[in-house]
Amino acid sequence: MSEKFMVKRDGFPSKGEIVIGTVTRVLDFGAFVSLDEYENKEGMVHISEVASGWVKDIRDYVKKGQKVVCKVLNVDRKRGHIDLSIKDVTERQRKEKLQQWKSEMRAFKWLEIAGESVGMSKEELVKIGKKLIKTYDSIYNAFEEAAYEGYEVLVPITGEELAKAIAEIARENIKPPKVKVRGYFELTCFKPDGIERIKKALMAGMNVKDGAEVKIEYVGAPRYRVIVESEDYKTAESVLKKVVDKVVKTMKSLGGEAKFVREAV
Protein backbone atom coordinates (compact mmCIF):
# COMPACT_ATOMS: atom_id res chain seq x y z
CA MET A 1 0.00 0.00 0.00
CA SER A 2 1.48 3.35 -1.04
CA GLU A 3 2.15 5.95 1.64
CA LYS A 4 -0.33 8.83 1.91
CA PHE A 5 0.75 12.01 0.18
CA MET A 6 1.48 14.71 2.77
CA VAL A 7 3.18 18.07 2.89
CA LYS A 8 4.99 18.71 6.16
CA ARG A 9 6.24 21.97 7.59
CA ASP A 10 9.94 22.73 7.86
CA GLY A 11 11.48 23.99 11.09
CA PHE A 12 10.08 23.84 14.60
CA PRO A 13 6.65 24.60 16.06
CA SER A 14 6.29 27.75 18.17
CA LYS A 15 5.92 27.86 21.94
CA GLY A 16 2.20 27.86 22.79
CA GLU A 17 1.21 26.29 19.46
CA ILE A 18 -1.42 23.54 19.40
CA VAL A 19 -0.07 20.55 17.44
CA ILE A 20 -1.26 17.09 16.49
CA GLY A 21 0.92 14.01 16.69
CA THR A 22 1.18 10.25 16.97
CA VAL A 23 2.54 8.51 20.07
CA THR A 24 5.65 6.54 19.07
CA ARG A 25 6.97 5.34 22.45
CA VAL A 26 5.57 5.17 25.96
CA LEU A 27 8.03 5.01 28.86
CA ASP A 28 7.46 5.21 32.63
CA PHE A 29 8.40 8.92 32.76
CA GLY A 30 6.66 10.12 29.60
CA ALA A 31 5.57 9.60 26.00
CA PHE A 32 7.32 10.50 22.77
CA VAL A 33 5.13 12.01 20.05
CA SER A 34 5.94 12.31 16.36
CA LEU A 35 4.54 15.64 15.13
CA ASP A 36 2.29 14.91 12.14
CA GLU A 37 2.56 18.42 10.69
CA TYR A 38 6.34 18.81 10.94
CA GLU A 39 9.21 17.21 9.02
CA ASN A 40 11.11 14.73 11.23
CA LYS A 41 10.12 16.37 14.51
CA GLU A 42 9.38 14.53 17.74
CA GLY A 43 8.32 15.94 21.09
CA MET A 44 8.03 14.55 24.60
CA VAL A 45 5.09 14.65 26.99
CA HIS A 46 6.33 14.25 30.57
CA ILE A 47 4.10 12.11 32.79
CA SER A 48 3.19 15.27 34.76
CA GLU A 49 1.77 16.81 31.54
CA VAL A 50 -0.42 13.87 30.51
CA ALA A 51 -3.45 14.56 32.70
CA SER A 52 -4.56 16.73 35.60
CA GLY A 53 -3.91 15.24 39.01
CA TRP A 54 -1.58 12.39 39.91
CA VAL A 55 -0.91 9.83 37.20
CA LYS A 56 0.12 6.45 38.59
CA ASP A 57 0.59 4.66 35.27
CA ILE A 58 1.05 6.70 32.10
CA ARG A 59 -0.13 3.74 30.02
CA ASP A 60 -3.64 4.25 31.38
CA TYR A 61 -3.73 7.53 29.43
CA VAL A 62 -1.61 7.12 26.29
CA LYS A 63 -0.73 4.20 24.03
CA LYS A 64 1.63 3.69 21.12
CA GLY A 65 -0.02 4.68 17.84
CA GLN A 66 -2.56 6.97 19.53
CA LYS A 67 -3.33 10.32 17.91
CA VAL A 68 -2.94 13.17 20.45
CA VAL A 69 -3.40 16.94 20.44
CA CYS A 70 -0.74 18.77 22.45
CA LYS A 71 0.34 22.24 23.44
CA VAL A 72 3.99 23.17 22.86
CA LEU A 73 5.48 24.15 26.23
CA ASN A 74 9.06 24.77 25.18
CA VAL A 75 11.36 24.43 22.17
CA ASP A 76 15.13 23.99 22.34
CA ARG A 77 16.21 24.30 18.71
CA LYS A 78 19.89 23.63 19.41
CA ARG A 79 19.23 20.33 21.15
CA GLY A 80 16.17 19.54 19.03
CA HIS A 81 13.98 19.14 22.11
CA ILE A 82 10.26 19.90 22.06
CA ASP A 83 8.34 19.74 25.35
CA LEU A 84 4.63 19.03 25.01
CA SER A 85 1.54 18.95 27.21
CA ILE A 86 -1.70 17.06 26.70
CA LYS A 87 -3.40 18.30 29.86
CA ASP A 88 -3.01 22.00 28.90
CA VAL A 89 -5.17 21.55 25.78
CA THR A 90 -8.83 22.52 26.29
CA GLU A 91 -11.60 20.36 24.86
CA ARG A 92 -12.46 23.12 22.39
CA GLN A 93 -8.85 23.39 21.20
CA ARG A 94 -8.67 19.61 20.82
CA LYS A 95 -11.83 19.45 18.69
CA GLU A 96 -10.79 22.42 16.55
CA LYS A 97 -7.33 20.94 15.91
CA LEU A 98 -8.73 17.54 14.98
CA GLN A 99 -11.18 19.21 12.57
CA GLN A 100 -8.39 21.32 11.05
CA TRP A 101 -6.21 18.24 10.58
CA LYS A 102 -9.12 16.33 9.00
CA SER A 103 -9.58 19.21 6.53
CA GLU A 104 -5.83 19.34 5.85
CA MET A 105 -5.72 15.60 5.09
CA ARG A 106 -8.50 16.11 2.54
CA ALA A 107 -6.55 19.02 1.04
CA PHE A 108 -3.43 16.83 0.69
CA LYS A 109 -5.48 14.38 -1.38
CA TRP A 110 -6.91 17.21 -3.50
CA LEU A 111 -3.41 18.59 -4.13
CA GLU A 112 -2.20 15.13 -5.13
CA ILE A 113 -5.10 14.76 -7.60
CA ALA A 114 -4.47 18.26 -9.01
CA GLY A 115 -0.76 17.48 -9.42
CA GLU A 116 -1.45 14.19 -11.18
CA SER A 117 -3.88 15.90 -13.56
CA VAL A 118 -1.12 18.21 -14.82
CA GLY A 119 1.63 15.56 -14.77
CA MET A 120 3.60 16.99 -11.85
CA SER A 121 5.98 14.80 -9.82
CA LYS A 122 5.39 14.22 -6.09
CA GLU A 123 8.71 15.91 -5.28
CA GLU A 124 7.77 19.09 -7.16
CA LEU A 125 4.31 19.01 -5.62
CA VAL A 126 5.77 18.82 -2.10
CA LYS A 127 7.96 21.87 -2.81
CA ILE A 128 4.95 23.84 -4.01
CA GLY A 129 2.89 22.58 -1.06
CA LYS A 130 5.50 23.91 1.37
CA LYS A 131 5.29 27.33 -0.31
CA LEU A 132 1.49 27.26 -0.05
CA ILE A 133 1.73 26.47 3.69
CA LYS A 134 4.19 29.33 4.16
CA THR A 135 1.81 31.78 2.45
CA TYR A 136 -1.60 30.49 3.59
CA ASP A 137 -0.66 28.58 6.79
CA SER A 138 -2.27 25.39 5.44
CA ILE A 139 -2.99 23.62 2.15
CA TYR A 140 -6.72 23.72 2.95
CA ASN A 141 -6.59 27.53 3.35
CA ALA A 142 -4.95 27.75 -0.09
CA PHE A 143 -7.81 25.73 -1.60
CA GLU A 144 -10.32 27.99 0.18
CA GLU A 145 -8.62 31.04 -1.27
CA ALA A 146 -8.82 29.55 -4.77
CA ALA A 147 -12.51 28.67 -4.26
CA TYR A 148 -13.47 32.17 -3.12
CA GLU A 149 -11.05 34.40 -5.06
CA GLY A 150 -10.27 32.40 -8.21
CA TYR A 151 -7.22 30.50 -9.45
CA GLU A 152 -5.26 33.69 -10.22
CA VAL A 153 -4.29 34.20 -6.56
CA LEU A 154 -2.25 30.97 -6.59
CA VAL A 155 -0.48 31.47 -9.94
CA PRO A 156 2.66 33.16 -8.49
CA ILE A 157 3.26 30.07 -6.32
CA THR A 158 1.90 27.16 -8.37
CA GLY A 159 1.97 28.32 -11.97
CA GLU A 160 -1.19 28.75 -14.05
CA GLU A 161 -1.83 25.11 -14.97
CA LEU A 162 -1.74 23.75 -11.42
CA ALA A 163 -3.62 26.80 -10.07
CA LYS A 164 -6.51 26.10 -12.46
CA ALA A 165 -6.58 22.42 -11.44
CA ILE A 166 -6.61 23.39 -7.74
CA ALA A 167 -9.39 25.96 -8.25
CA GLU A 168 -11.54 23.43 -10.10
CA ILE A 169 -11.27 20.90 -7.26
CA ALA A 170 -11.76 23.66 -4.68
CA ARG A 171 -15.01 24.87 -6.28
CA GLU A 172 -16.35 21.31 -6.29
CA ASN A 173 -15.53 20.63 -2.65
CA ILE A 174 -15.59 23.93 -0.74
CA LYS A 175 -18.77 25.91 -0.41
CA PRO A 176 -18.51 29.50 0.86
CA PRO A 177 -19.92 29.92 4.39
CA LYS A 178 -23.35 31.50 4.57
CA VAL A 179 -23.97 34.76 6.43
CA LYS A 180 -27.26 35.80 8.00
CA VAL A 181 -28.85 39.16 8.72
CA ARG A 182 -32.14 39.44 10.57
CA GLY A 183 -34.75 41.62 12.14
CA TYR A 184 -38.47 41.58 12.85
CA PHE A 185 -41.60 43.28 11.60
CA GLU A 186 -44.37 44.57 13.81
CA LEU A 187 -47.43 44.40 11.57
CA THR A 188 -50.97 45.44 12.53
CA CYS A 189 -54.18 45.74 10.54
CA PHE A 190 -57.59 46.30 12.11
CA LYS A 191 -59.62 45.51 9.00
CA PRO A 192 -61.99 42.51 9.22
CA ASP A 193 -59.60 40.51 7.02
CA GLY A 194 -56.51 41.97 8.68
CA ILE A 195 -54.72 38.61 9.05
CA GLU A 196 -55.04 37.95 5.31
CA ARG A 197 -53.68 41.40 4.51
CA ILE A 198 -50.68 40.82 6.81
CA LYS A 199 -50.04 37.49 5.05
CA LYS A 200 -50.17 39.24 1.69
CA ALA A 201 -47.60 41.82 2.83
CA LEU A 202 -45.28 39.10 4.12
CA MET A 203 -45.62 37.10 0.90
CA ALA A 204 -44.58 40.20 -1.04
CA GLY A 205 -41.36 40.20 1.01
CA MET A 206 -40.85 36.45 0.55
CA ASN A 207 -40.90 36.91 -3.23
CA VAL A 208 -37.74 39.05 -3.10
CA LYS A 209 -34.75 36.79 -3.92
CA ASP A 210 -31.81 38.44 -5.72
CA GLY A 211 -29.23 35.80 -4.79
CA ALA A 212 -30.30 35.25 -1.18
CA GLU A 213 -32.65 33.01 0.78
CA VAL A 214 -35.46 34.79 2.63
CA LYS A 215 -37.28 33.25 5.60
CA ILE A 216 -40.11 34.83 7.57
CA GLU A 217 -41.22 33.27 10.86
CA TYR A 218 -44.15 34.01 13.12
CA VAL A 219 -42.86 35.07 16.55
CA GLY A 220 -46.07 36.16 18.25
CA ALA A 221 -48.56 38.89 17.31
CA PRO A 222 -47.70 41.42 16.06
CA ARG A 223 -44.11 40.22 15.45
CA TYR A 224 -42.73 38.34 12.44
CA ARG A 225 -39.01 37.62 12.17
CA VAL A 226 -37.22 37.91 8.82
CA ILE A 227 -33.91 36.14 8.15
CA VAL A 228 -31.89 36.70 4.99
CA GLU A 229 -29.10 34.22 4.22
CA SER A 230 -26.47 34.73 1.54
CA GLU A 231 -22.82 34.06 0.73
CA ASP A 232 -21.76 37.61 1.60
CA TYR A 233 -22.96 40.47 3.81
CA LYS A 234 -23.29 42.95 0.97
CA THR A 235 -25.87 40.79 -0.84
CA ALA A 236 -27.65 39.87 2.41
CA GLU A 237 -27.97 43.51 3.48
CA SER A 238 -29.17 44.57 0.03
CA VAL A 239 -31.85 41.86 -0.05
CA LEU A 240 -32.95 42.61 3.53
CA LYS A 241 -33.48 46.27 2.60
CA LYS A 242 -35.60 45.25 -0.42
CA VAL A 243 -37.66 42.84 1.70
CA VAL A 244 -38.29 45.50 4.35
CA ASP A 245 -39.29 48.11 1.75
CA LYS A 246 -41.62 45.66 0.03
CA VAL A 247 -43.36 44.49 3.21
CA VAL A 248 -43.73 47.99 4.69
CA LYS A 249 -45.09 49.52 1.47
CA THR A 250 -47.46 46.61 0.83
CA MET A 251 -48.75 46.62 4.41
CA LYS A 252 -49.44 50.36 4.32
CA SER A 253 -51.12 50.13 0.89
CA LEU A 254 -53.43 47.48 2.37
CA GLY A 255 -54.52 49.78 5.20
CA GLY A 256 -52.24 48.47 7.95
CA GLU A 257 -49.23 49.64 9.94
CA ALA A 258 -45.70 48.30 9.64
CA LYS A 259 -42.52 48.80 11.64
CA PHE A 260 -39.13 47.07 11.22
CA VAL A 261 -36.58 46.51 14.00
CA ARG A 262 -33.08 45.24 13.21
CA GLU A 263 -31.68 42.38 15.29
CA ALA A 264 -28.03 41.69 15.98
CA VAL A 265 -26.93 38.27 14.70
Side-chain angles (χ1 to χ4, degrees):
M1 187 177 174
S2 61
E3 197 175 315
K4 278 186 180 179
F5 174 78
M6 291 176 69
V7 181
K8 297 199 175 189
R9 299 165 188 264
D10 292 323
F12 286 81
S14 304
K15 184 177 178 179
E17 186 177 333
I18 303 298
V19 295
I20 190 163
T22 305
V23 177
T24 55
R25 288 173 290 159
V26 181
L27 305 174
D28 291 341
F29 63 85
F32 288 87
V33 177
S34 173
L35 302 186
D36 292 352
E37 300 155 283
Y38 286 86
E39 198 81 65
N40 302 318
K41 292 295 181 291
E42 188 176 65
M44 201 270 282
V45 182
H46 189 267
I47 189 170
S48 63
E49 293 295 334
V50 170
S52 298
W54 184 62
V55 175
K56 183 180 179 183
D57 188 348
I58 189 173
R59 292 169 183 83
D60 291 336
Y61 297 88
V62 288
K63 291 175 174 57
K64 185 178 178 180
Q66 182 180 338
K67 196 71 70 182
V68 289
V69 177
C70 306
K71 183 176 182 179
V72 179
L73 296 180
N74 197 41
V75 177
D76 186 332
R77 292 169 186 268
K78 286 184 180 177
R79 297 170 68 192
H81 288 186
I82 303 168
D83 296 324
L84 305 170
S85 174
I86 294 174
K87 74 174 186 181
D88 282 1
V89 178
T90 67
E91 184 60 20
R92 181 182 170 188
Q93 287 172 327
R94 192 183 72 83
K95 285 182 179 177
E96 284 180 356
K97 190 65 185 180
L98 287 170
Q99 185 55 53
Q100 285 170 9
W101 184 239
K102 190 177 174 184
S103 296
E104 193 70 345
M105 292 295 284
R106 285 165 61 210
F108 291 151
K109 187 63 184 172
W110 297 340
L111 184 60
E112 184 181 21
I113 292 167
E116 286 173 354
S117 74
V118 299
M120 189 169 284
S121 71
K122 293 279 172 47
E123 291 76 17
E124 186 60 26
L125 208 54
V126 167
K127 286 180 185 175
I128 289 172
K130 285 178 184 288
K131 290 178 183 176
L132 290 173
I133 286 174
K134 198 170 181 181
T135 303
Y136 295 103
D137 197 43
S138 77
I139 301 294
Y140 186 82
N141 287 350
F143 272 83
E144 271 194 329
E145 194 73 9
Y148 302 159
E149 304 297 332
Y151 79 91
E152 294 88 352
V153 294
L154 300 185
V155 171
I157 298 172
T158 65
E160 189 169 337
E161 200 179 7
L162 182 59
K164 285 181 176 177
I166 288 172
E168 189 179 339
I169 293 170
R171 283 193 300 269
E172 287 172 5
N173 292 280
I174 299 173
K175 303 301 176 193
K178 298 278 188 177
V179 297
K180 291 180 182 180
V181 291
R182 66 180 71 197
Y184 61 86
F185 293 107
E186 289 185 355
L187 305 178
T188 53
C189 184
F190 299 107
K191 304 286 184 182
D193 60 345
I195 296 297
E196 292 305 314
R197 296 187 186 214
I198 287 172
K199 282 183 183 176
K200 198 173 283 188
L202 292 172
M203 281 307 298
M206 287 284 287
N207 289 332
V208 176
K209 299 295 179 188
D210 289 352
E213 185 181 346
V214 179
K215 294 179 187 174
I216 296 180
E217 306 167 346
Y218 176 68
V219 179
R223 288 186 172 188
Y224 301 84
R225 178 172 285 109
V226 58
I227 302 168
V228 176
E229 193 174 277
S230 181
E231 290 178 2
D232 62 89
Y233 276 108
K234 189 177 178 181
T235 302
E237 292 287 358
S238 172
V239 172
L240 179 62
K241 185 178 185 303
K242 289 176 183 177
V243 171
V244 171
D245 289 346
K246 197 76 174 173
V247 171
V248 170
K249 284 177 183 175
T250 304
M251 191 71 257
K252 288 183 177 178
S253 72
L254 293 171
E257 290 297 319
K259 178 186 173 185
F260 177 73
V261 178
R262 181 65 188 266
E263 272 185 306
V265 178

